Amino acid sequence: MKEYIEYIKMIVVLSTISAVCGFGLAAISAFTKERIEEQKLLNVEGPTVKKILAGSTNDLIKDRKEIVINKQKYIVFIGKKNGAPWALAYTTDGTGFGGEMSVMIGFDLINDTLAGVGITSHKETPGVGSRVTEDSFTKTFKDKGLNAVFKIKADGGVIDAVTGATVSSRGVCGAVQKGVPLYQDIKKQVLK
Amino acid sequence: MPSSEIKYRNLVISSAPHIHEGRSYSGAMYTFIIALLPAVIFAISRYGMDAARVIAVSIASAMASEYIIQKLFRKPVAINDGNALLMGLLMAFILPPSVPWWLIVVGCFFSILVGKQIFGGRGGNTFHPVLLGWVTLRFSWADYINYSYGAINYTLNFSVEYPLHVLKKSGAAAVSGLNYLDLFLGNQVGGTGASAVLLILIGGLFLIARGVISWRIPFSYLAGVAATASVFWLADSAKYADPLFHIVVGNVMIGAFFFATDYSSSPANKTAMLIFGFGCGLFTVLFRILSNNPNGVFFAILFMNILFPLLDKIRPAVPGKVMKEA
Amino acid sequence: MASIAQEFTKGFWKEIPPFRLVLGICAALAVTKSLVDGFGMGIALIFVLVCSNIIISMLRKVIPKKVRLACYIVIIATFVVIVELITQAYVYSLYEALGIFIPLIVVNCIILGRAEAFASKKSVLRSALDGLGIGAGYTLALVFLGALREILGRGTLFAGSQYVINLFGPSFKPYAFMVEAPGAFVCLGLLLGIMNVLGD
């Protein structure tokens, strides 16, 4: 009988501790959730957004919208000049040499052209593939029309690949190709 | 007993007094240094004061480090045994002649402190001390110890690009035009002294003739390089350089004769020596071909240094032991 | 029995975790690329250590012996997750620098060691002081190691905060080996050796 009481005590104590800890964590998690999300956007995508949508006068992180297309969620950043939206940016992914890479594409709403491209996260080889994150490569996308063929020149496109980083360049182009067709839908939903 | 000698199989066991043959540790060290002297003269005649400066700074800082550390550790100061001198000279040999003095000092200090004394001084080091020092330099100041960058300020009557860099960058076709005899005679960019391939080889053969090192490690090293390079070359001769190129270029010669044969970081048994040397050669070529880094020799030797205690377990059975352990 | 003050001060020299007890080495090697990172890790550890010591000491008569380790781990893990969430929400740059090593505080042997060896036997006050002392000693060690590696490997001090000091001017070429992983082993090894010489 004594043994049973000990077992029950063990179960009760452990369950109680776990339950209290669980509730505590849930409360803290709920309390910090919003701020963490904001911090993530600010630190991971913030710098890129600010570069692509340079010239905007609004708080880019705050003025974001979540838009669902084909059941996939996109976080769209909206750039405004004097209160009127002039550009938007969202992230798609491509496959580079080292694995998945996240590429943010910015669009100019007035001219319907690319406002810029930036790589938010990647696993490319430092010093080789990682050179696709440099401005000298990403600026080649700027001001291109939406009908342009976003492939590297070796594949019959209009983009100069980074020497020695063909696969990584292809990865960025792939992400842009994936992102461009979504633009019209997203634009409609954003301006609605 | 009429005779004090006991004969057992082919062993002779005799009691004292014995006659000492006259060999000593420092004698071996100075033989190493004598073997390197031709290359020293070659280096000074080619790179002038720069080479003399690198060698002088390197030897001075290695010996000073040894002295300071032995004083600090309250050990008997043994800078006369020639080991620190040899370490300094070897360090100078594998650095390009243009390295700044502070880089040599840091490299030598690290070699002697972490590479040698921390492991218990001479005879205790598991890794070749100079190579450990070199690796830290490679991590920190890759541009300064880059052979191609180092040669840029000299007027030389041959290509001022390190042949292995050319191979890595432009493929086997770019190096097929090089005259191998020229490379062998030392007309290539590389370490201050290590690029004098022929003189290093002569020095190495001198060491073997004097009985200071065994032929097993260097020759199995060269065989390992040749065999591994042949495999690649035979598979695709347009993509990979031929075995002779891999032997005459870079640090293979100095690695085989002077680094892989370091007493305390290489095996002492015959079979183990052969495996050790061959492994060094194998990894030299693998590192050269498969890694981003054109240099393979030093990493290969360091890698085999890790394995040598295991390799030394391959040894003949102890005579007299009849009972099998059940 | 040691005096209350001694419970606090022993962590600084006699039982300084990485050097004397050689505990918590994994994190000590990995996060000491700079002084600030080391300090951040130390603060995170102090928080977890003090909180878990207090709670475990409070519950020491309730927790049955057979499931004590499970209970300790649940409590420690809770505080670790709290630290993780809070750093993520308020000091994101530190969160990025410490990365995987915040969650790994759970298995940091210092904390479980203090829980098992100290907090489960002593009063709440003593446990809190013990946690504070050991944690502060750990922080001190990480700061020292971080500063040493940062000075040698980068030539700066306080990198990662807004008070960066460039110690040797722009022409200094840092000994970058020291901020690499092998440099951490070499640095810690040399410090351990020096501590042994000084301690005897």
Side-chain angles (χ1 to χ4, degrees), chain B residues 164-243:
Chain B
L164 285 169
H165 285 156
V166 180
L167 178 67
K168 190 99 246 166
K169 236 171 33 193
S170 324
V175 293
S176 60
L178 292 168
N179 182 350
Y180 290 172
L181 184 66
D182 229 27
L183 296 175
F184 184 59
L185 290 174
N187 291 325
Q188 57 170 309
V189 165
T192 303
S195 53
V197 177
L198 174 64
L199 296 176
I200 298 283
L201 175 64
I202 292 172
L205 294 177
F206 168 72
L207 288 182
I208 294 174
R210 297 282 302 144
V212 173
I213 58 172
S214 149
W215 59 271
R216 289 184 179 81
I217 290 177
F219 283 98
S220 60
Y221 192 129
L222 298 182
V225 171
T228 318
S230 302
V231 170
F232 280 97
W233 185 55
L234 291 174
D236 187 353
S237 63
K239 202 173 161 197
Y240 301 111
D242 58 281

Side-chain angles (χ1 to χ4, degrees), chain C:
Chain C
M1 203 169 178
S3 79
I4 301 243
Q6 270 172 335
E7 304 292 13
F8 178 65
T9 52
K10 70 179 180 224
F12 290 97
W13 184 260
K14 221 175 89 198
E15 291 182 23
I16 187 165
F19 297 145
R20 278 273 172 248
L21 309 177
V22 201
L23 286 180
I25 294 298
C26 172
L29 291 170
V31 301
T32 50
K33 282 187 177 165
S34 72
L35 191 155
V36 173
D37 290 356
F39 183 70
M41 182 72 184
I43 296 296
L45 188 116
I46 289 182
F47 175 79
V48 175
L49 190 52
V50 171
C51 292
S52 68
N53 260 10
I54 290 174
I55 300 289
I56 288 166
S57 178
M58 270 156 57
L59 297 176
R60 69 185 187 277
K61 295 200 175 110
V62 185
I63 294 172
K65 220 168 169 73
K66 279 183 184 162
V67 288
R68 67 185 194 286
L69 288 182
C71 293
Y72 298 164
I73 287 290
V74 170
I75 293 166
I76 293 166
T78 307
F79 286 112
V80 169
V81 177
I82 291 174
V83 167
E84 190 183 4
L85 289 172
I86 287 174
T87 48
Q88 213 173 344
Y90 294 99
V91 266
Y92 195 84
S93 59
L94 184 68
Y95 171 76
E96 277 196 325
L98 298 180
I100 181 73
F101 293 98
I102 294 183
L104 280 183
I105 294 178
V106 179
V107 288
N108 191 322
C109 22
I110 296 175
I111 297 180
L112 197 57
R114 292 333 284 181
E116 170 77 10
F118 200 93
S120 59
K121 294 171 190 140
K122 303 279 171 70
S123 69
V124 176
L125 179 64
R126 276 174 186 274
S127 301
L129 282 173
D130 174 73
L132 205 59
I134 294 279
Y138 190 64
T139 312
L140 200 70
L142 290 196
V143 164
F144 188 64
L145 197 57
L148 190 67
R149 288 178 65 197
E150 193 182 339
I151 290 170
L152 291 172
R154 294 192 197 176
T156 60
L157 213 48
F158 307 115
S161 68
Q162 62 252 55
Y163 308 107
V164 186
I165 305 170
N166 222 327
L167 291 171
F168 306 104
S171 60
F172 177 71
K173 300 280 181 290
Y175 195 28
F177 169 74
M178 281 301 171
V179 290
E180 307 271 349
F185 281 96
V186 169
C187 246
L188 182 69
L190 291 176
L191 282 179
L192 274 173
I194 293 170
M195 286 292 287
N196 274 344
V197 172
L198 292 181
D200 295 339

